[in-house]
């Protein structure tokens, strides 16, 4: 099997460490190569002080280099809601029907990029109005799969979220 790589989008500050750690570990156990992308010029700092060095800057992200993209949540993700680089990369993944995952508040990035209109999705419950404003069909569920989109509500959904993304990747490669 060819090496498959996943691009993890990590907020520069206040990312959710539980989501990041559980998702990253799940992917690595399944032999995926993980690349961290952020707009941080040094280290990304989690909500409890975990420090992670980004591998890729937002300006060097290219959809063709990755199997899937996953947006990690946490308080810091709110600074990315209107980020045009993130909107563009998500649209590129979508155009090529590659799996796109977003957990906690991160689905709002996809909604604001115009990708979740008419799509069933979930997010951190207090942000549901942001999804609905963008035309998303909000679902009060732990994890929601719709087409190539996988969205999740909260850190306790991280393991199920990662499993659904891995399943989507396997299906994509089985049909190629």
């Amino acid at each position: 099997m060819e090496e498959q790589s996943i691009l993890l989008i990590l907020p520069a500050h206040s990312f959710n460490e539980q989501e990041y750690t559980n998702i990253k570990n799940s992917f690595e156990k399944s032999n995926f190569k993980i690349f961290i992308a952020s707009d941080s010029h040094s280290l990304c700092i989690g909500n409890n002080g975990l420090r992670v060095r980004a591998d890729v800057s937002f300006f060097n992200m290219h959809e063709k280099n990755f199997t899937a993209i996953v947006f990690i949540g946490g308080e810091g993700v709110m600074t990315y809601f209107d980020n045009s680089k993130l909107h563009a990369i998500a649209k590129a993944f979508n155009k090529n029907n590659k799996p796109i995952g977003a957990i906690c508040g991160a689905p709002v990035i996809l909604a604001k990029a115009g990708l979740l209109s008419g799509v069933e999705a979930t997010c951190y419950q207090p942000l549901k109005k942001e999804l609905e404003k963008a035309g998303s069909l909000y679902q009060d569920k732990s994890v929601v799969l719709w087409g190539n989109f996988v969205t999740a509500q909260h850190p306790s959904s991280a393991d199920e979220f990662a499993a659904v993304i891995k399943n989507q990747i396997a299906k994509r490669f089985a049909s190629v």
Side-chain angles (χ1 to χ4, degrees):
M1 177 196 228
E2 72 179 55
E3 180 177 84
Q4 297 177 1
S5 57
I6 297 174
L7 183 62
L8 285 185
I9 306 296
L10 200 60
H13 299 285
S14 300
F15 65 86
N16 186 292
E17 294 178 14
Q18 180 183 352
E19 292 169 4
Y20 166 73
T21 303
N22 288 8
I23 292 166
K24 179 180 178 282
N25 289 344
S26 178
F27 289 148
E28 287 178 339
K29 284 179 186 170
S30 296
N31 297 317
F32 287 99
K33 182 95 172 112
I34 303 301
F35 291 87
I36 308 298
S38 181
D39 61 348
S40 173
H41 297 292
S42 57
L43 296 173
C44 301
I45 302 171
N47 56 332
N48 291 313
L50 178 66
R51 296 173 185 277
V52 176
R53 184 170 308 284
D55 303 304
V56 181
S57 76
F58 285 172
F59 295 100
N60 292 321
M61 296 182 299
H62 298 286
E63 167 274 330
K64 67 180 187 247
N65 297 330
F66 302 98
T67 306
I69 188 169
V70 175
F71 295 82
I72 302 295
E75 190 175 319
V77 80
M78 291 187 277
T79 63
Y80 292 167
F81 286 174
D82 296 309
N83 186 298
S84 61
K85 277 302 239 181
L86 293 180
H87 293 179
I89 192 75
K91 287 176 182 178
F93 273 82
N94 189 51
K95 180 180 176 186
N96 289 288
N97 203 34
K98 290 185 175 183
I100 301 170
I103 188 168
C104 193
V108 175
I109 296 168
L110 304 179
K112 290 192 170 232
L115 295 172
L116 297 183
S117 181
V119 172
E120 289 184 7
T122 193
C123 69
Y124 179 56
Q125 224 271 334
L127 294 172
K128 82 177 206 173
K129 287 191 186 330
E130 294 293 328
L131 289 189
E132 292 171 337
K133 274 195 286 189
S136 179
L137 309 170
Y138 179 81
Q139 304 293 304
D140 188 15
K141 296 179 180 174
S142 181
V143 176
V144 175
L145 169 64
W146 183 277
N148 60 314
F149 296 101
V150 182
T151 54
Q153 271 188 342
H154 37 68
S156 63
S157 309
D159 292 331
E160 179 186 358
F161 173 72
V164 172
I165 293 169
K166 289 187 289 187
N167 188 45
Q168 288 305 106
I169 292 169
K171 282 183 183 177
R172 178 171 163 55
F173 277 87
S175 67
V176 173

